[in-house]
């Protein structure tokens, strides 16, 4: 099956700093999502981005499907950005099997 | 959480007990999924359903059973709880516009 690697595994930022999280995947995908799991465990959809670039406020994401990676940019980080960021990819198939990476744990300190 | 509810929020079971985790969605989506998340890990697919009456195994189905008698409900059954089933369980639906998945709030289960 598809392998998903996320880097870095852990990241500590000073409030206001910028960061880039990376997701590499081993095969062609037709589905890629970024999630934020907050400290209470809730999974929040950030982006559905199988290709191209999207922006939502301080967050943006880019997926280069031909090179099998996606990047999540966080600008002007805030303490509420803390948590774990997951990349999840899916390949073609009727039920859309989705494979998760093990995440990047982000801590933003004041 | 895109109209996905899960009950209970927390549960402690003794080894060998059984229980059902409930998942309900109010948006008439056909595709529903059960995942488990172990500490420090991503989510792994247990079972999925593509519509009422149709279910199939995911990556880690052993020790679990599911049913889908209605579009709205997709319960997950643990028959003989084991410590290895201590995890957080998430139910998800596939959104109407394509491949995006939306998750419920999760059930934290501990088996002692």
């Amino acid at each position: 099956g598809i392998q998903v690697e996320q880097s870095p595994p852990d990241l500590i930022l000073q409030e206001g700093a910028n960061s880039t999280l990376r997701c590499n995947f081993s095969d062609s995908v037709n589905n890629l999502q970024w999630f934020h799991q907050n400290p209470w465990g809730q999974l929040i959809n950030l982006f559905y981005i199988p290709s191209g670039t999207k922006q939502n406020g301080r967050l943006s994401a880019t997926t280069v499907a031909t090179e099998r990676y996606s990047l999540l940019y966080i600008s002007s980080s805030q303490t509420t950005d803390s948590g774990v960021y997951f990349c999840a990819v899916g390949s073609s198939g009727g039920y859309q099997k989705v494979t998760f990476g093990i995440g990047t744990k982000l801590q933003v300190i004041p | 959480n895109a109209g996905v509810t899960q009950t209970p929020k927390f549960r402690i079971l003794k080894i060998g007990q059984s229980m059902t985790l409930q998942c309900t969605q109010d948006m008439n989506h056909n595709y529903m999924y059960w995942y488990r998340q172990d500490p420090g890990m991503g989510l792994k697919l247990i079972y999925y359903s593509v519509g009422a009456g149709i279910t199939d195994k995911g990556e880690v189905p052993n020790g679990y059973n599911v049913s889908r008698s209605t579009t709205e409900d997709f319960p997950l059954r643990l028959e003989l709880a084991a410590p290895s089933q201590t995890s957080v369980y998430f139910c998800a639906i596939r959104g109407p516009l394509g491949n995006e998945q939306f998750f419920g709030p999760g059930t934290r289960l501990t088996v002692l």
Side-chain angles (χ1 to χ4, degrees), chain B residues 13-104:
Chain B
L13 284 181
K14 293 182 179 178
I15 294 172
Q17 287 186 319
S18 61
M19 78 164 292
T20 299
L21 283 68
Q22 301 291 347
C23 175
T24 300
Q25 53 114 349
D26 60 3
M27 300 182 73
N28 210 33
H29 295 301
N30 284 323
Y31 289 76
M32 297 184 75
Y33 309 82
W34 274 106
Y35 292 86
R36 59 176 286 172
Q37 184 182 25
D38 297 329
M41 303 296 289
L43 280 68
K44 293 188 177 180
L45 183 65
I46 305 171
Y47 271 95
Y48 67 96
S49 170
V50 301
I54 307 170
T55 63
D56 208 346
K57 297 176 181 179
E59 297 176 76
V60 289
N62 291 344
Y64 307 95
N65 280 300
V66 293
S67 59
R68 185 97 181 268
S69 57
T70 66
T71 302
E72 293 77 21
D73 299 306
F74 189 37
L76 178 71
R77 178 94 179 148
L78 283 71
E79 291 294 350
L80 291 170
S84 61
Q85 294 177 305
T86 294
S87 192
V88 181
Y89 291 85
F90 288 96
C91 178
I93 57 139
R94 178 176 166 184
L97 299 180
N99 301 326
E100 193 171 4
Q101 292 191 13
F102 297 88
F103 287 81

Side-chain angles (χ1 to χ4, degrees), chain A residues 1 5 12-13 16 20 23 27 31-32 36 40 44 49-50 52 63-65 89:
Chain A
E5 293 182 357
I12 299 175
L13 292 178
T20 300
C23 171
D27 206 344
N31 174 3
L32 190 145
H36 174 216
W40 295 270
I44 300 164
I49 186 167
T63 297
V64 184
V89 303

Side-chain angles (χ1 to χ4, degrees), chain A residues 2 7 11 13 18 21 23 25 28-29 32 36-37 41-42 46-47 53 56 62 68-69 79 96-97 104 108-109:
Chain A
I2 294 178
S7 59
L11 186 59
L13 292 178
N18 303 327
L21 282 58
C23 171
F25 43 94
S28 299
V29 300
L32 190 145
H36 174 216
Q37 187 167 40
Q42 186 180 6
L46 296 177
F47 295 102
T53 297
N56 184 3
T62 295
R68 299 180 184 169
Y69 73 89
T79 56
Q96 272 300 310
K97 172 178 164 56
T104 291
V108 181
I109 56 177

Side-chain angles (χ1 to χ4, degrees), chain A residues 7-110:
Chain A
S7 59
D10 296 280
L11 186 59
I12 299 175
L13 292 178
Q14 201 78 36
E15 198 168 22
N18 303 327
S19 64
T20 300
L21 282 58
R22 187 176 180 102
C23 171
N24 292 333
F25 43 94
S26 61
D27 206 344
S28 299
V29 300
N30 65 354
N31 174 3
L32 190 145
Q33 292 183 246
W34 283 98
F35 295 91
H36 174 216
Q37 187 167 40
N38 64 24
W40 295 270
Q42 186 180 6
L43 281 162
I44 300 164
N45 291 51
L46 296 177
F47 295 102
Y48 171 69
I49 186 167
S51 64
T53 297
K54 290 185 178 180
Q55 180 157 6
N56 184 3
R58 297 181 296 104
L59 302 181
S60 63
T62 295
T63 297
V64 184
T66 53
E67 297 187 22
R68 299 180 184 169
Y69 73 89
S70 183
L71 302 174
L72 177 69
Y73 305 96
I74 304 174
S75 64
S76 303
S77 59
Q78 300 175 358
T79 56
T80 52
D81 295 331
S82 296
V84 183
Y85 289 80
F86 288 104
C87 170
V89 303
S91 56
S92 59
Y95 74 94
Q96 272 300 310
K97 172 178 164 56
V98 170
T99 301
F100 279 75
I102 64 171
T104 291
K105 185 174 182 179
L106 173 64
Q107 184 180 359
V108 181
I109 56 177

